[in-house]
Amino acid sequence: MKAFAAKGNKISTLSAIETERPHLNAHDLLINVEAVSVNPVDTKVRQSLSALTEPVILGYDGYGTVVERGSKAHLFAIGDKVFWAGDVTRSGSNAEFQAVDERIVGFAPKKISKAKAVAMPLTSLTAYELLFEKLAIDPTGADKNKTLLIINGAGGVGSVATQLAKKIAKLHVIASASTPEAIVWVKKMGADEVVNHHGSLVDDVRHLGHHHVDYILILNAVNQHIAAVTELIAPQGKIANIIEPAQALNLDPLAHKSASFSFEWMFTKAVSQTPDIESQHHILNQIAQWLDSGKITSTMTQNLGTLTEKNLQNAHEMLENGHTIGKIVLITDEK
């Protein structure tokens, strides 16, 4: 099969290769990949590579058709349209075919394009697990009007988290954004109020009339924002973070507030084969239903066209420049 792989840590090493179709484990599906999305994790994995003996196929969002099933796979039928976010320890979606554990795969939305659908799996899983598992927010609206601060609301995860928090959980959402375009975007996603994460978060949030907030999501620069976050979180409030700290975090100010701090890594369930791994199948099915019903919308902002070496390299470069809003997608099959 044809694939696109990194042969080193530079963008220029992303190139087309010919390789064997992947072997299926018992719970796997073999999927004919029709569209992919590019995430910051793609660039981070590539940057971590050194001199390689084997190329690494990246890609952690995919949309496609089931063509084969492993011996224990039973959740899908041959021919089903599916979408998924994959497993960072396995070959990715930048290929004609990918083997994916069916327990982390969902039925694809039926009422939106494959380009719009493929933008959603990784960020939706991350946002859902942040809000409804780590922060324990009630998705039925029982926490209506409680306050949530999302740091970096215009990014891929922030764009979905804003929608889930506002449109599903009915929270009051304060999102951070630092450019006019990003401010327009987070308001479009449903943010009630906007602050600038390049300024003083404490001053900005309190200027809006919120001395404390009930929940906080940290989606970038955790070391930069930790002091403001521990100041702003309410007593018994909850904080969740997706960024690996560059240095130790000072969480001492949370002690007398009895506030919690959680880490979220979307790949944990797949990599560690946790007992609740199949929850990601159900989450993606729910996301698909919300997309088809219009309760949430796709965060795709740029479709770079066909998956080619040049277009994939361009996507990596755009993400590394750090100013993307929403999600970048590529189409591998124009049918």
Side-chain angles (χ1 to χ4, degrees):
M1 69 174 184
K2 183 178 180 180
F4 295 88
K7 300 175 181 178
N9 57 18
K10 295 182 179 179
I11 292 176
S12 59
T13 68
L14 289 166
S15 57
I17 63 169
E18 286 290 331
T19 188
E20 297 295 320
R21 289 191 184 187
H23 167 77
L24 294 188
N25 297 326
H27 288 284
D28 282 352
L29 305 173
L30 183 66
I31 305 170
N32 181 197
V33 181
E34 299 173 27
V36 302
S37 181
V38 186
N39 294 280
V41 65
D42 297 62
T43 66
K44 291 175 183 176
V45 173
R46 194 203 74 245
Q47 290 166 355
S48 72
L49 303 177
S50 54
L52 298 172
T53 55
E54 296 290 338
V56 175
I57 301 172
L58 304 172
Y60 307 104
D61 269 325
Y63 173 107
T65 303
V66 177
V67 296
E68 189 178 335
R69 303 190 302 176
S71 61
K72 293 185 178 179
H74 65 281
L75 298 174
F76 300 92
I78 304 301
D80 283 341
K81 295 291 186 181
V82 295
F83 68 159
W84 66 95
D87 177 345
V88 74
T89 64
R90 304 183 69 181
S91 290
S93 59
N94 295 340
E96 284 187 73
F97 298 94
Q98 184 183 2
V100 189
D101 189 315
E102 69 168 0
R103 296 170 295 180
I104 60 171
V105 175
F107 289 101
K110 297 177 180 178
K111 297 182 180 179
I112 62 175
S113 69
K114 65 180 72 175
K116 289 183 177 180
V118 81
M120 300 301 288
L122 187 149
T123 52
S124 295
L125 285 166
T126 304
Y128 189 104
E129 291 179 358
L130 280 166
L131 293 170
F132 305 133
E133 294 181 1
K134 303 303 185 295
L135 298 185
I137 293 167
D138 191 319
T140 68
D143 294 309
K144 182 178 180 180
N145 294 328
K146 288 187 177 180
T147 50
L148 167 69
L149 170 63
I150 301 177
I151 300 175
N152 191 26
V157 175
S159 299
V160 182
T162 299
Q163 294 188 72
L164 296 183
K166 183 63 184 179
K167 300 172 184 179
I168 304 301
K170 311 300 183 184
L171 300 185
H172 183 92
V173 179
I174 308 163
S176 82
S178 60
T179 66
E181 297 80 8
I183 292 170
V184 170
W185 176 257
V186 297
K187 288 182 177 179
K188 180 181 177 182
M189 292 298 100
D192 295 288
E193 298 174 299
V194 183
V195 293
N196 189 337
H197 49 252
H198 291 314
S200 169
L201 282 176
V202 173
D203 289 346
D204 283 2
V205 170
R206 289 183 173 167
H207 180 73
L208 293 173
H210 310 284
H211 188 73
H212 289 127
V213 293
D214 299 299
Y215 309 105
I216 300 177
L217 294 184
I218 307 173
L219 306 181
N220 76 349
V222 61
N223 289 101
Q224 173 187 334
H225 298 305
I226 193 63
V229 164
T230 55
E231 171 67 21
L232 284 170
I233 194 66
Q236 299 182 336
K238 294 181 173 66
I239 303 162
N241 164 61
I242 66 170
I243 305 300
E244 186 173 346
Q247 57 197 43
L249 299 175
N250 178 18
L251 301 180
D252 292 351
L254 300 181
H256 288 178
K257 290 185 175 183
S258 298
S260 69
F261 185 101
S262 301
F263 284 94
E264 159 66 14
W265 190 47
M266 191 280 301
F267 296 110
T268 295
K269 293 174 182 177
V271 171
S272 299
Q273 292 287 292
T274 59
D276 62 344
I277 182 172
E278 195 172 310
S279 67
Q280 294 200 333
H281 166 67
H282 300 295
I283 292 169
L284 287 173
N285 288 346
Q286 178 65 81
I287 293 296
Q289 290 176 19
W290 283 334
L291 286 165
D292 280 339
S293 69
K295 289 185 176 180
I296 64 173
T297 60
S298 172
T299 58
M300 182 198 79
T301 50
Q302 298 182 77
N303 181 346
L304 298 188
T306 304
L307 178 58
T308 64
E309 288 181 9
K310 182 178 180 180
N311 287 343
L312 185 59
Q313 290 172 2
N314 285 344
H316 276 244
E317 184 175 6
M318 291 165 65
L319 283 170
E320 288 186 10
N321 286 338
H323 299 294
T324 56
I325 295 173
K327 292 293 296 292
I328 301 169
V329 307
L330 295 157
I331 304 301
T332 66
D333 184 345
E334 294 292 354
K335 291 183 293 184

